[in-house]
Structures are given as C-alpha cells and as structure tokens.
Amino acid sequence: MAVSISLVALFGLVLFFLLRSKSLGYGAAFTAAGFGFFLASTGAAGPINQLAAAVVHAIPHL
C-alpha cells in the first residue's frame, strides 16, 4: 500500500508538470494511465467513484 501511494504521488506530480507545460504526448498519456491505475488501488478510489456517480446523477437535474 505504501508503494502504491508513493507511486500515485510521483505520477500525479509528473502529470501536473506535463499539463502545466502543455507538453502532452505519449509520455503524458502513459503518465495519466499510470496515475489512474495506481490511484485506483488506494483508499481514494471509493470516494472518487462516489463523487463521479453523484455528478452523473446530478447532471439530468440541472
């Protein structure tokens, strides 16, 4: 678990700087996929899924 959290932090940091510098390419796609993969294995996956479901259910009521 500690390894996956540190990888999430590393991938998140790299993705942040790639998005900030507007250098999106194959490297950014790989970084985003790795970030999502490792984020899904942390405790944050449940709340993120609940938030996404709430947003999807709220959209028709706008």
Side-chain angles (χ1 to χ4, degrees):
M1 177 97 166
V3 172
S4 64
I5 290 175
S6 62
L7 285 174
V8 166
L10 176 67
F11 276 117
L13 186 65
V14 170
L15 184 60
F16 171 76
F17 284 116
L18 285 173
L19 290 172
R20 187 172 167 98
S21 67
K22 295 184 173 82
S23 61
L24 302 173
Y26 293 114
F30 176 75
T31 302
F35 179 69
F37 176 77
F38 286 110
L39 184 64
S41 66
T42 65
I48 290 171
N49 286 336
Q50 292 173 354
L51 176 66
V55 168
V56 167
H57 290 299
I59 288 174
H61 299 291
L62 291 178

